Amino acid sequence: MKQIDKERPIKLDTGDGYIKGVSGMQAVHESLDRGWNLIPVGKNKKPLIKWKKYQTTRTTHDQIDRWAEQFPGCSWGLVCGAVSGSLHVVDFDDPEVYESFLKEKLEKNTLIVKTPSGGYHAYFEIKPCPPNITDYKELYNIDTRGEGGYVLAPEISEGYTIISDTGVMRISEEELRAMIDVWQIITDDELFDYDAIKADVTLPDVIRHYGDGDVSEVRSKNDYKLIVCPFHNDRQPSCAIHLRYFKCHGCGKKGSVIDYVMYRQNIDRPLTAAMAIERMMNRQYRKIQTGTGKSGNTDIPIPDASELNGDWIDEKISLDLTRINGFISEYIEYASKRTDAYKEYHYAGALMILSTMTGRKRWIFLKQTILYGNLFQFILGPSTISRKSVAMDIAEEILTHIMGSWDYLAQTFSPEAFTEQMAEMSHRVLIVDEAGQLLANMKKKYMDEAKDLLCKAYDCKGWNRVLTKKKNDNGTRNVVDPYLTIAFATVPDNLLNNCTQDDVNSGWLARFLYFVPKYQKEMLPFELGADRLVAERASIHKKASEINEWLMNTPPQPMEFEKGAFEIFQEWQTKHEESLMKKNDNTNNMVMGRLFPITLKIAMLHAIGRMCNTITKDDIIESMREVDNFFAITSANIIRDVETADRADIVSRKMSTVERYLKNHGGKANRRELLNATKTKVKEFAEIIQAMVTSGAIREIAGENKGKNTTVIYCLQKKS
């Protein structure tokens, strides 16, 4: 690295402490002297200047200082391309791809940066430097920044940390592409089970992904639909889509779901198509050789039992499902033969099916309210190995078979669109097998009302809204007698990162049942002979259809209770409430307050699974046992985790406020000034200041003497 003149004055250095963009400019200038061209970037990662000029013109040290003064606290963008020494940066958004295939090859040979999202940037020198490469985004979640692009500069932009710096590797564009397309070194039949893909993924699945046409009517092997062929200039629909097979009568292309993806993305290898299908369906179809824990290629690690240890099974939390009978037990047995997902997820699927079919056709009439059988469920677990999506797909397959796709809510929506859909049809189901993006969207301003409306739907209470007025339409939408069931699946971090204390206080989170099993489950590798499950699939579909017909063909009516059953529930509820009053635990009070009525809902669904209008003592006892041993624990754990994460986020934001105030006021401030700036209570302020002092972010110095007291001044520290 080129050395700079240590004596060169830095204009904004007060000498009182580290100020990012001020005395911390030393690192920024070092980056510039390294040959990297820099521009100021805001928190939204967008340039704060018109930066096209700096794609070809070198930034000067004086210009850097002027920008630091103009944009205090900014981050810094590193302009790629010839202006930065032909720099080309590969962005690995998916850390698994980098860590599994390229980590050992790259970390000893080039500069590697860890990004705040958990991904990686790998730096290369390519002459001539190509522009941004996006060819691999869809397949591998990899793209690059070259001529005309920029990345956040490491070490001088928050969260971008150099983890390996052995210089920048020189490489040709051809060599770079060969390195990124690492899958080419693997033989086609070595990694993927193509029979499993063809058995599990249908043509309608991928056509919906690409938006190539409406194929909702294609549900069985006897159905087909003509769509406009995406492979040639088709003037009218000529491509026949069957469940497992397609054929275009115009261009002649035909084949399986793998062939369709190959044609659609201009891919010449089944292996690359299989990768695309994995990413599209959020599932894995990798082969596992039992006994080795590895695939045929030793570079491809396959999770073994040891990888399931750690935080996820720090305590065993499971649900004993052996005492359940009727449709629920039959469904769990069937689904467990199809995938090694946690059995708790299959139980969630069975409840979702029964809850959705029941609608307003059955209810429990209480003095306080009317309870319908709709449930909101969160299925949480580690990515991939827990098989959340596969478990949900099995349940959704049965629901679609019985009720059709017209009942499903769109997986992305605004409050207005949600109201529009519920006004059109008030009995709906919302299934999202990866709810991370939906949860993130719900934090945005335009989604402010979404959770309130979903809570109304959960409570089966109608509403009306005036939407955008159109010609011959006053925009009024009335949602009458709503009935909504929800099943969301995601990894726990997505829930914690996108929920706040407000979601706890509003009761939004407490309305959900949480399926969060924690134990080491059995692993089930792919097997041939899926046709052996055909009869069992037909049997479970038939059983679900019989329950649906029973509900449809009998008059809507309240559920009855076997003699003594409701008294058992009352006694259990009373004991819990007395215990809760003594402990005075707000979280447990809220959780159990919501779980009391849900306990009755679960008991009702158990009875409906036997096509029975009477809730028995066994139904009540079983649902109480599940709540005591599982749902009360998982719900309280999740809500406490959300509260803890939100408190940590608040503290982090307050610390940032302190740091920002000090940066903008010469690096110094007294206690009163910081209290006013942070609008924080004295006790909380003391905790924040102590944390910042301990971490070395700030230091305390003595100020003026005022009688017996000496004021305290807080200064930002210089970072080494």
Side-chain angles (χ1 to χ4, degrees), residues 282-298:
N282 193 26
R283 305 175 202 164
Q284 273 206 343
Y285 299 100
R286 315 291 172 91
K287 286 183 178 179
I288 298 177
Q289 296 180 357
T290 56
T292 65
K294 296 183 179 179
S295 70
N297 188 301
T298 56

Side-chain angles (χ1 to χ4, degrees), residues 225-474:
K225 181 74 179 290
L226 289 175
I227 66 170
V228 174
C229 181
F231 312 126
H232 75 286
N233 187 16
D234 195 6
R235 296 185 178 180
Q236 59 182 7
S238 63
C239 187
I241 304 299
H242 300 260
L243 197 66
R244 307 284 175 188
Y245 178 83
F246 76 95
K247 180 177 181 179
C248 179
H249 299 286
C251 65
K253 287 185 171 63
K254 62 182 180 180
S256 68
V257 63
I258 294 172
D259 299 303
Y260 191 95
V261 173
M262 290 174 67
Y263 287 129
R264 189 65 172 76
Q265 293 193 198
N266 196 24
I267 294 169
D268 59 1
R269 296 187 64 198
L271 179 144
T272 314
M275 282 190 60
I277 291 171
E278 276 200 334
R279 197 169 292 281
M280 181 190 309
M281 304 303 295
N282 193 26
R283 305 175 202 164
Q284 273 206 343
Y285 299 100
R286 315 291 172 91
K287 286 183 178 179
I288 298 177
Q289 296 180 357
T290 56
T292 65
K294 296 183 179 179
S295 70
N297 188 301
T298 56
D299 287 338
I300 315 298
I302 299 295
D304 59 22
S306 65
E307 295 183 42
L308 305 183
N309 293 324
D311 292 343
W312 189 247
I313 54 172
D314 55 356
E315 55 177 323
K316 184 173 181 179
I317 301 176
S318 62
L319 186 55
D320 180 6
L321 301 170
T322 58
R323 309 180 194 186
I324 301 174
N325 55 32
F327 169 80
I328 295 176
S329 63
E330 293 175 27
Y331 174 84
I332 293 172
E333 182 180 0
Y334 160 72
S336 297
K337 293 178 181 178
R338 287 191 56 182
T339 176
D340 59 354
Y342 284 101
K343 291 188 177 182
E344 286 81 357
Y345 297 165
H346 297 321
Y347 181 44
L351 291 178
M352 180 179 71
I353 293 168
L354 292 171
S355 175
T356 303
M357 290 193 303
T358 299
R360 287 177 171 259
K361 296 182 273 298
R362 297 293 185 274
W363 60 88
I364 295 175
F365 187 71
L366 301 174
K367 182 187 296 184
Q368 295 84 351
T369 187
I370 294 177
L371 283 182
Y372 292 98
N374 61 317
L375 294 176
F376 283 12
Q377 301 180 122
F378 253 118
I379 296 172
L380 300 173
S383 179
T384 307
I385 59 173
S386 59
R387 310 285 193 260
K388 303 181 297 293
S389 296
V390 181
M392 292 182 70
D393 287 345
I394 296 171
E396 188 175 356
E397 174 189 286
I398 292 179
L399 273 180
T400 303
H401 172 76
I402 294 170
M403 310 184 73
S405 60
W406 45 266
D407 283 336
Y408 291 96
L409 274 172
Q411 293 191 0
T412 57
F413 55 84
S414 64
E416 292 78 13
F418 175 64
T419 297
E420 190 90 48
Q421 291 182 73
M422 292 297 292
E424 290 174 0
M425 181 183 300
S426 61
H427 182 167
R428 295 278 193 171
V429 57
L430 175 59
I431 301 175
V432 187
D433 63 3
E434 179 37 71
Q437 187 58 56
L438 178 59
L439 293 171
N441 288 344
M442 285 186 174
K443 295 175 68 176
K444 297 177 181 177
K445 188 173 181 61
Y446 78 92
M447 290 288 280
D448 281 349
E449 195 184 14
K451 289 177 181 175
D452 289 339
L453 294 181
L454 288 170
C455 286
K456 283 183 177 292
Y458 175 87
D459 297 333
C460 298
K461 296 177 180 178
W463 69 91
N464 61 76
R465 292 289 183 276
V466 177
L467 309 181
T468 304
K469 296 183 179 181
K470 301 176 183 178
K471 187 176 180 180
N472 300 323
D473 182 357
N474 63 10

Side-chain angles (χ1 to χ4, degrees), residues 52 107 132 220 256 305 311 391 464 490 530 545 697:
K52 187 172 183 180
E107 284 196 1
N132 301 344
S220 70
S256 68
D311 292 343
N464 61 76
T490 191
S545 297

Side-chain angles (χ1 to χ4, degrees), residues 1-6 8-12 21-36 38 58-68 76 156:
M1 181 183 291
K2 185 176 178 181
Q3 297 297 314
I4 69 171
D5 181 4
K6 301 294 185 181
R8 186 181 61 78
I10 298 174
K11 293 184 178 181
L12 303 181
V22 187
S23 63
M25 290 297 297
Q26 185 76 13
V28 180
H29 286 288
E30 286 184 1
S31 294
L32 193 67
D33 282 344
R34 184 166 184 157
W36 293 345
L38 302 177
R58 287 284 300 170
T59 305
T60 66
H61 288 287
D62 287 342
Q63 181 64 70
I64 287 289
D65 284 335
R66 286 195 296 272
W67 281 335
W76 297 93
I156 57 176

